[in-house]
Structure formats: C-alpha cells, structure tokens
C-alpha cells in the first residue's frame, strides 16, 4: 500500500515539473535572463555566405555584474554562423530572414565558442531602446511582444508583469497598463504607463468601469491550483485504501 502511495505522489510531482518546464515562455526567459549571455539592441551590419554579423547599439541591463559584462565582445559585434541566413523569431515588417540594415533585439548565448540565438531574434522598427516596438500598433496587440517592448524600453527595469486568463489585459506590478478595449492608436510611453491618472483616463475614454477584482495569472492562483491537486491525490489514496485494505 505504501508503495502505491509513493508511486502516485512521484507521478504527480513528475507531471507538475513537466508542466512548469513546458510552460516556460521565451519572452519570460529573456526578461529574467535565463539561458542567455547577452541581450542587446542593434543592427544587422553584414551578411555573407555562412555567417551574419550583428552590431550592438545598446546592451539591455539584465545584469550589471563584472562577470556578465565580461561576456560581451570587445568590439560589440557578434558573428552568427549560418549557411542559409538567420530566421527571425518575429519581425516588425513581416520579414522571415535577417537583412543588412535591419534593426534587431537579440538574445544570444555562447556555446562551444560560437554565438547562437537563445531566447529570440526580433526585427524591430528602430535601434533606440527607449522607444522601439516589436509590432505596429493595432486593435489587439500581442501580449508577449508588449511585455518585451516595455522591458526593453525601460532598459530591463520593468519585469513584474502579469496578464488575465484571456490575454487581453497586461499588468505591471498589479497596475493595468494595457487593455484591448482601449483600442490604442499609439503605444503608451514608459512615463504614461507609470501615471495612474493617465491610465484611469484610458479606462474612462473606453467606458470601462473600475475593476475591483483583477483576474490575473499570479503565483497565488498557481498555489491554489497546487493545493487543489493535493486534495485530488488524497482522494485517490483514500480510494486505493478502500480497494486494497490492510490485511
């Protein structure tokens, strides 16, 4: 009986770990500096047979330690080896492959002495980190790209993002900074999204009532789901005890 209980618990924990790993988003990995050595805004300076050269305009401050800074190339140019060019994770202008002169946001990692794309290579509208965008303004923006935009625009200081379940609202430190119902004509600046009165005015113009409860995918919700799963396991154990009583 004890073996059965241990087997059920191990199965649950294994399944839980698989869910957490598979749910890891590349955008979140970039924001939290996971599996990347450098993150920067720059340009595609040269494309040749077998390689692409990226030139840095500004590094994004994911880490300011001496070890992190030491990983940067002295000439601030990065060579990516590729026979068929480099494919974009996402492109502001709808491109598939990198072209000379493109503005980019690049997450790179060095493996066996060679630089490779880690959490993504994005073609953006400009190489000024404070104002660049990953896609044109439209009625419903991509939440992942919007998170990454404000993370980059803030030089890596804005990280604490959350969303509602339908991915139609974006929050920063529990303050709503984007709602599809706003039907934005232009992106809000960093100063505007830190201005609570500006955000209230956005709701008022869209005739949105003040929300008392924000449906956000937070760690609290995940913990509640975890507790619910524990109760399910307890129920399974109880059923197994009834089916296989002690002799």
């Amino acid at each position: 009986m004890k073996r059965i209980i241990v087997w059920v618990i191990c199965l649950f924990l294994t399944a839980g770990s698989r869910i957490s790993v598979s749910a890891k988003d590349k955008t979140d990995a970039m924001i939290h500096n996971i599996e990347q050595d450098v993150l920067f805004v720059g340009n595609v300076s040269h494309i040749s047979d077998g390689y692409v050269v990226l030139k840095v305009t500004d590094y994004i401050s994911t880490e300011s330690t001496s070890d992190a800074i030491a990983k940067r190339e002295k000439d601030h140019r990065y060579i990516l080896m590729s026979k068929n060019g480099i494919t974009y994770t996402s492109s502001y202008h709808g491109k598939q492959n990198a072209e000379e002169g493109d503005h980019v946001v690049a997450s790179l990692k060095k493996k066996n002495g060679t630089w490779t794309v880690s959490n993504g290579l994005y073609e953006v509208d400009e190489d000024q980190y404070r104002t660049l965008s990953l896609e044109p303004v439209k009625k419903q923006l991509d939440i992942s790209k919007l998170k990454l935009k404000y993370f980059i625009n803030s030089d890596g200081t804005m990280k604490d993002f959350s969303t509602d379940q339908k991915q139609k609202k974006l929050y920063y430190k529990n303050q709503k900074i984007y709602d599809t119902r706003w039907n934005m004509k232009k992106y809000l600046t960093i100063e505007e999204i830190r201005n609570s009165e500006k955000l209230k005015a956005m709701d008022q113009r869209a005739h949105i009532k003040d929300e008392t409860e924000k449906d956000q995918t937070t760690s609290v919700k995940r913990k509640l789901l975890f507790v619910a799963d524990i109760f399910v396991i307890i129920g399974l154990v109880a059923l197994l005890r009834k089916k296989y009583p002690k002799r």
Side-chain angles (χ1 to χ4, degrees):
M1 183 61 195
K2 288 182 179 179
R3 288 181 180 177
I4 294 173
I5 294 172
V6 170
W7 179 82
V8 171
I9 292 173
C10 288
L11 182 64
F12 168 75
L13 291 175
T14 303
S17 65
R18 285 177 181 170
I19 289 170
S20 62
V21 171
S22 63
K24 268 195 185 306
D25 181 82
K26 286 287 187 180
T27 300
D28 291 330
M30 189 184 294
I31 289 173
H32 297 288
N33 203 36
I34 299 170
E35 286 297 312
Q36 69 186 8
D37 290 327
V38 291
L39 177 63
F40 62 85
V41 177
N43 299 282
V44 179
S45 66
H46 183 70
I47 296 178
S48 185
D49 292 338
Y51 67 92
V52 174
V53 181
L54 305 181
K55 183 180 179 182
V56 177
T57 301
D58 284 294
Y59 288 97
I60 302 303
S61 301
T62 51
E63 281 187 283
S64 56
T65 63
S66 57
D67 288 341
I69 294 171
K71 293 177 181 178
R72 300 173 180 177
E73 293 289 355
K74 291 181 180 179
D75 60 359
H76 306 305
R77 285 176 171 80
Y78 295 82
I79 298 174
L80 305 181
M81 307 306 296
S82 176
K83 293 181 180 179
N84 302 313
I86 299 294
T87 301
Y88 284 127
T89 305
S90 174
S91 166
Y92 185 96
H93 296 100
K95 298 180 180 181
Q96 185 173 0
N97 296 320
E99 300 175 6
E100 286 188 10
D102 286 353
H103 306 306
V104 297
V105 167
S107 165
L108 305 182
K109 187 170 181 64
K110 203 168 192 177
K111 296 180 180 179
N112 300 320
T114 302
W115 288 102
T116 59
V117 175
S118 179
N119 295 319
L121 179 66
Y122 294 82
E123 190 252 339
V124 294
D125 61 337
E126 59 177 305
D127 65 348
Q128 301 304 307
Y129 77 86
R130 289 185 178 88
T131 52
L132 68 77
S133 299
L134 285 82
E135 65 175 347
V137 178
K138 55 186 179 182
K139 187 172 183 180
Q140 185 166 337
L141 295 168
D142 183 295
I143 291 292
S144 291
K145 292 178 185 176
L146 193 60
K147 282 198 297 186
L148 189 54
K149 169 185 167 61
Y150 287 129
F151 169 73
I152 298 293
N153 291 166
S154 67
D155 193 21
T157 61
M158 293 177 67
K159 298 180 180 181
D160 189 11
F161 296 105
S162 57
T163 67
D164 67 313
Q165 282 187 321
K166 294 181 179 179
Q167 296 284 298
K168 292 182 179 294
K169 303 168 195 172
L170 178 64
Y171 300 86
Y172 173 64
K173 292 187 174 179
N174 299 323
Q175 172 71 57
K176 185 173 67 174
I177 62 173
Y178 172 70
D179 190 318
T180 55
R181 295 170 294 178
W182 287 350
N183 195 16
M184 291 165 50
K185 304 298 182 185
K186 66 177 184 66
Y187 283 107
L188 298 178
T189 64
I190 295 292
E191 291 73 20
E192 286 173 328
I193 66 174
R194 287 174 174 164
N195 185 333
S196 59
E197 294 304 317
K198 171 71 176 180
L199 297 176
K200 287 178 183 178
M202 296 290 289
D203 272 352
Q204 290 169 359
R205 281 198 293 271
H207 305 291
I208 299 171
K209 292 183 180 179
D210 187 30
E211 299 162 330
T212 56
E213 292 184 346
K214 298 182 179 72
D215 183 18
Q216 303 171 60
T217 54
T218 60
S219 58
V220 174
K221 182 179 241 182
R222 288 194 292 271
K223 287 177 182 177
L224 289 173
L225 290 172
F226 179 80
V227 171
D229 287 336
I230 291 293
F231 279 113
V232 171
I233 286 179
I234 292 172
L236 287 172
V237 171
L239 287 172
L240 288 170
R241 281 181 175 174
K242 287 182 180 180
K243 190 172 182 179
Y244 304 102
K246 291 183 179 179
R247 295 179 180 178

